[in-house]
Amino acid sequence: HAAGAVAAVTAAAASGLPAAAAPASRKVRYAIVGPGHRGSGMWGAEALKRHASTLDLVALCDVNPKRAEAANGLMGTKAPVYADLDRMLAEAKPDRVAVTTVDATHSGIIVKALDAGVDVVTEKPMVTEVDQLKAILEAEKRTGRKVAMAFNYRYSPKNELIWQLLRTSGLGKVTSIDFSWYLDVFHGADYFRRWHRLKSKGGSLWVHKSTHHFDLVNWWIGADPVEVAASSSLRRYGRNGTLRGTHCRACPHKGSCEFFFDLTANPRLMALYAGPAGEDGYLRDGCVFREDCDIWDTMNAVVSYSNGVQMSYSVNAFMPFEGFRLAFNCEKGRIEVRDFERQGWDVPYETEVLVARSFQKEPERMTLQRREGGHSGGDPRLLDAVFGKEPVPDQLRVPDSRAGAMSCLTGIAARRSSETGARVRIADLATEAGFDG
């Protein structure tokens, strides 16, 4: 086991970031915009339990009030429910809002909150389009309020171990990166049965999912992306299916479709989505083979960085297992990571790390066990960083809008490259967004 490095990670996890600006004599007035599964879970029940002494939930806001009321019931709270964001900001007067809505709506909510004098913590991606980024950056300058990014993967101990090894292993500069992410036929398919299947909602998995990974790389190597060349295809879902319906509960093929998803087996999802669906028509168990799907499930990219590093990156969304393979090729050796998030066979650990030094026969082997909490232990540590009281080391400070911008620009560049077949320069997108670095 990586005793020294893991000890350093564990010590770092004990610290946090000052909470939203508010008098020390009262709790932070806190609102959740979009209290669905993630919003009412991690940002709702978990945050309120973990930081009960510092948070006061003053409002829930959702375009579907029935869903917000269901969230209240699941969280055991009685927060006022609003369907109108402007009214919520004016009446509830939060100090901070958590934005956990459909990706394409993040920017509009963030800008309104900033203009109301409210700080924001938002789920990734911060934006799905370049013009949305410009609006947020201008609002931050105009108001002096700030956006914090919920990049919880930074806070997973296994990913912080990688950050530490890149700085302490003595392998010299990183020259290139091999990074493959595997989404299985459960998690991967879920993106195609929900609103994520539409570029207009989630910007494609290049933006919705890969911004997690692009941020990790930016953070790991301490550099900015420069140029992206990408290609993508839809090989398994959408129009590729031979069995098709609207949603699983009403599907005539439920007995024969491999991707049948039984929403009724999950009381929490039923409460949040089945009943409230009458208000907005949203089908949480939508068919993965709907022909309106316009995103991709097979994606590859080459990304170059400001320090000369090149990354070969891929995502596949219908694998038999979940996790990733990662390697840093360095001047004096190589760091390899194999991560097992979910698979059909037993493994004695979640993550294995090999540090191989040139001219040495045996690599150093390190393993990390599975950690409690979402995103491999990252969620609770992120909550502590956002809402805690103690300072954190620089590498664990909550990422800001610049980090959000750089990850989103990488994803948008990959999407544009996939659509046009051309290389896309990050500087060109940044200029388009009015982003000066």
Side-chain angles (χ1 to χ4, degrees), residues 179 181 206 210 213-214 299-302 311-315:
F179 196 175
W181 200 280
W206 280 123
S210 295
H213 315 149
F214 295 145
M299 301 139 60
N300 295 271
V302 175
M311 175 175 68
S312 174
Y313 171 83
S314 67
V315 178

Side-chain angles (χ1 to χ4, degrees), residues 149-279:
M149 287 301 307
F151 284 132
N152 35 29
Y153 268 126
R154 288 195 187 192
Y155 293 84
S156 170
K158 62 188 177 186
N159 292 327
E160 193 186 354
L161 172 61
I162 295 168
W163 188 94
Q164 299 279 2
L165 288 173
L166 287 169
R167 287 154 179 80
T168 61
S169 62
L171 297 182
K173 295 179 181 179
V174 176
T175 58
S176 64
I177 302 170
D178 307 321
F179 196 175
S180 296
W181 200 280
Y182 312 113
L183 295 168
D184 67 18
V185 288
F186 304 103
H187 185 198
D190 226 26
Y191 293 118
F192 293 84
R193 62 172 58 98
R194 295 183 285 173
W195 51 263
H196 308 76
R197 76 187 189 283
L198 302 174
K199 288 182 189 177
S200 63
K201 300 290 188 181
S204 82
L205 292 182
W206 280 123
V207 179
H208 174 79
K209 184 63 180 175
S210 295
T211 47
H212 251 329
H213 315 149
F214 295 145
D215 175 71
L216 277 177
V217 174
N218 296 344
W219 176 62
W220 277 330
I221 67 174
D224 291 335
V226 172
E227 187 176 74
V228 181
S231 62
S232 309
S233 60
L234 181 64
R235 306 299 298 275
R236 188 69 173 89
Y237 304 109
R239 60 184 176 273
N240 294 290
T242 57
L243 304 176
R244 185 167 289 111
T246 57
H247 62 295
C248 289
R249 278 166 293 160
C251 185
H253 308 294
K254 65 175 64 177
S256 54
C257 180
E258 293 177 306
F259 289 97
F260 171 68
F261 174 60
D262 186 5
L263 190 72
T264 65
N266 190 318
R268 176 179 175 79
L269 294 184
M270 285 292 290
L272 286 169
Y273 299 107
E279 297 294 305

Side-chain angles (χ1 to χ4, degrees), residues 13-36:
S15 54
L17 182 73
S25 59
R26 69 169 174 86
K27 293 182 178 182
V28 173
R29 296 177 62 82
Y30 176 56
I32 303 171
V33 185

Side-chain angles (χ1 to χ4, degrees), residues 75-378:
M75 293 187 295
T77 55
K78 297 181 179 179
V81 168
Y82 294 85
D84 183 273
L85 178 63
D86 294 317
R87 183 182 171 197
M88 185 274 283
L89 292 169
E91 293 183 3
K93 301 185 185 309
D95 300 310
R96 174 175 288 178
V97 300
V99 178
T100 61
T101 58
V102 170
D103 297 345
T105 66
H106 287 182
S107 62
I109 296 166
I110 292 169
V111 169
K112 282 193 174 186
L114 295 174
D115 280 336
V118 179
D119 288 322
V120 175
V121 56
T122 183
E123 277 288 339
K124 57 84 197 150
M126 187 170 69
V127 302
T128 58
E129 303 293 342
V130 171
D131 60 341
Q132 297 170 350
L133 176 57
K134 183 176 182 179
I136 291 175
L137 297 176
E138 289 178 346
E140 279 193 314
K141 291 179 181 178
R142 180 170 65 245
T143 65
R145 310 314 299 180
K146 296 297 180 183
V147 176
M149 287 301 307
F151 284 132
N152 35 29
Y153 268 126
R154 288 195 187 192
Y155 293 84
S156 170
K158 62 188 177 186
N159 292 327
E160 193 186 354
L161 172 61
I162 295 168
W163 188 94
Q164 299 279 2
L165 288 173
L166 287 169
R167 287 154 179 80
T168 61
S169 62
L171 297 182
K173 295 179 181 179
V174 176
T175 58
S176 64
I177 302 170
D178 307 321
F179 196 175
S180 296
W181 200 280
Y182 312 113
L183 295 168
D184 67 18
V185 288
F186 304 103
H187 185 198
D190 226 26
Y191 293 118
F192 293 84
R193 62 172 58 98
R194 295 183 285 173
W195 51 263
H196 308 76
R197 76 187 189 283
L198 302 174
K199 288 182 189 177
S200 63
K201 300 290 188 181
S204 82
L205 292 182
W206 280 123
V207 179
H208 174 79
K209 184 63 180 175
S210 295
T211 47
H212 251 329
H213 315 149
F214 295 145
D215 175 71
L216 277 177
V217 174
N218 296 344
W219 176 62
W220 277 330
I221 67 174
D224 291 335
V226 172
E227 187 176 74
V228 181
S231 62
S232 309
S233 60
L234 181 64
R235 306 299 298 275
R236 188 69 173 89
Y237 304 109
R239 60 184 176 273
N240 294 290
T242 57
L243 304 176
R244 185 167 289 111
T246 57
H247 62 295
C248 289
R249 278 166 293 160
C251 185
H253 308 294
K254 65 175 64 177
S256 54
C257 180
E258 293 177 306
F259 289 97
F260 171 68
F261 174 60
D262 186 5
L263 190 72
T264 65
N266 190 318
R268 176 179 175 79
L269 294 184
M270 285 292 290
L272 286 169
Y273 299 107
E279 297 294 305
D280 58 13
Y282 176 56
L283 299 172
R284 176 60 180 79
D285 58 345
C287 179
V288 300
F289 298 124
R290 281 176 288 185
E291 292 181 314
D292 63 351
C293 173
D294 63 359
I295 67 168
W296 306 286
D297 55 24
T298 305
M299 301 139 60
N300 295 271
V302 175
V303 185
S304 60
Y305 291 87
S306 56
N307 59 356
V309 172
Q310 288 192 336
M311 175 175 68
S312 174
Y313 171 83
S314 67
V315 178
N316 290 276
F318 48 88
M319 295 295 97
F321 46 81
E322 180 100 2
F324 64 86
R325 289 184 183 274
L326 170 68
F328 296 89
N329 301 307
C330 305
E331 293 173 309
K332 300 178 182 180
R334 176 176 165 100
I335 298 173
E336 291 190 357
V337 183
R338 177 65 173 99
D339 182 77
F340 299 89
E341 290 198 4
R342 183 171 52 248
Q343 64 288 318
W345 62 92
D346 291 331
V347 293
Y349 42 75
E350 181 179 52
T351 308
E352 181 182 37
V353 181
L354 301 181
V355 179
R357 303 177 188 281
S358 300
F359 308 109
Q360 289 188 8
K361 291 183 178 181
E362 291 293 326
E364 299 173 41
R365 297 177 182 272
M366 311 173 193
T367 59
L368 283 81
Q369 301 301 318
R370 190 172 304 278
R371 294 288 293 266
E372 293 296 323
H375 291 88
S376 300

